[in-house]
Amino acid sequence: MSTTNLSTVLDLIETGVIHPSLVSLMIGHSFTILLVPLVIALFYFSNRYSRRTPIFILNVTAIMLAFFAGIMIDALAVHAILSPTDSWPLALNISIGILGMFQCILVDLILLLRLISLHPPRHLGLSRFSLLIALPVILKIARITNLIVFTKQMADASRGPQGAKQMAALWMSTPCLKIDWTAQVVDNTYASVAFLWSVRRRLSNRQGITSDILPGRTTFAMRLRMISRIAATNFLVPTLFSIAQIIIVYLGVNTGTVNNIVLVNTMITVFGVVFATVWVGKERRQDEEDQSAREMRLKIGEGKMNSGSGLDWKVATVRSGSVGGK
């Protein structure tokens, strides 16, 4: 092979393999490292009762899946940089894609559970509750079915010597991605808007409520405002990224750019929903500490009153004895 041909091959490897893998490594590894303090905070601000709730279990599951996917992305990128001509099995790429899509479904399931916690069946009644959850449930069933079809298509495309090229072409042309991302936008929008509307109604009923007993303490209305802001952020950021994914796919942008946007969207979605759970746990822990402090102050006050009453009784007894002696 001549020097010119060798230089051309090296340039192709650098631009087609090493550079995209380096970008993917930087993005994936940065988010994967941040998952460690996030899961620590999740357990630190929880208690033994909250750890048994479905929302907490799903949050831990989402973090574990994101961490596992991040490790696989890091390993795949490092291997591609060190050995660009020796690629790993394409099944690993398919697994990463499936994990990303499943994580988004899991996050939307957490949003649905939060909506149900605001409107339980015993408050709405069975008919109204069924209408409330009908669309999210139908969308999730459709997304899971679409994910199964997409997995089958990718597995079929990965066979043969041209499997990598066939997978890349299918990734950009299959309607399954467009269906999933569109359903994700609708699902996320419905759950977030319904949640924000419910919080807004409760907030409007609490506008005049302030903490007269403890003015420095966070009031219920203030917490509702913070919850609404967190929910709005969890809604806007993933929705904007999902819309960007759909636009980029239709514009025919290269696969690497689409993969990076999907990776960022998936990680931010997980971070947003888990951060909301951490914040709620922090507020609950603060309430428990405030309650313990109030109980301690009451006990100290009762002790002082009891000790003071005993001292007064002794002084009165001594004085009465002195008067009697005179």
Side-chain angles (χ1 to χ4, degrees), residues 23-85:
V23 174
S24 178
L25 177 64
M26 294 176 63
I27 297 174
H29 191 70
S30 300
F31 281 108
T32 304
I33 291 299
L34 292 176
L35 288 172
V36 177
L38 187 64
V39 72
I40 294 175
L42 181 64
F43 277 92
Y44 179 77
F45 290 114
S46 63
N47 53 42
R48 59 180 180 177
Y49 301 106
S50 63
R51 291 172 192 153
R52 299 174 184 174
T53 59
I55 291 180
F56 184 88
I57 295 173
L58 290 178
N59 273 275
V60 174
T61 304
I63 292 178
M64 293 298 101
L65 290 177
F67 190 79
F68 184 61
I71 291 177
M72 289 198 299
I73 291 172
D74 289 351
L76 186 64
V78 170
H79 179 78
I81 294 172
L82 298 178
S83 304
T85 58

Side-chain angles (χ1 to χ4, degrees), residues 238-313:
T239 302
L240 291 176
F241 270 96
S242 298
I243 294 174
Q245 291 172 177
I246 298 172
I247 294 174
I248 287 177
V249 168
Y250 277 106
L251 291 178
V253 181
N254 65 81
T255 308
T257 303
V258 177
N259 290 340
N260 293 333
I261 294 178
V262 172
L263 175 59
V264 173
N265 184 23
T266 303
M267 290 294 187
I268 288 180
T269 302
V270 173
F271 270 87
V273 73
V274 175
F275 174 76
T277 305
V278 170
W279 183 85
V280 172
K282 181 184 74 68
E283 292 297 319
R284 185 190 302 112
R285 187 184 184 91
Q286 184 64 42
D287 285 343
E288 293 173 355
E289 293 176 355
D290 292 343
Q291 182 67 24
S292 300
R294 286 195 298 271
E295 293 176 356
M296 183 62 66
R297 285 196 295 268
L298 288 174
K299 290 180 180 179
I300 294 175
E302 291 175 357
K304 288 182 178 179
M305 291 178 62
N306 294 332
S307 61
S309 300
L311 181 61
D312 293 341
W313 178 81

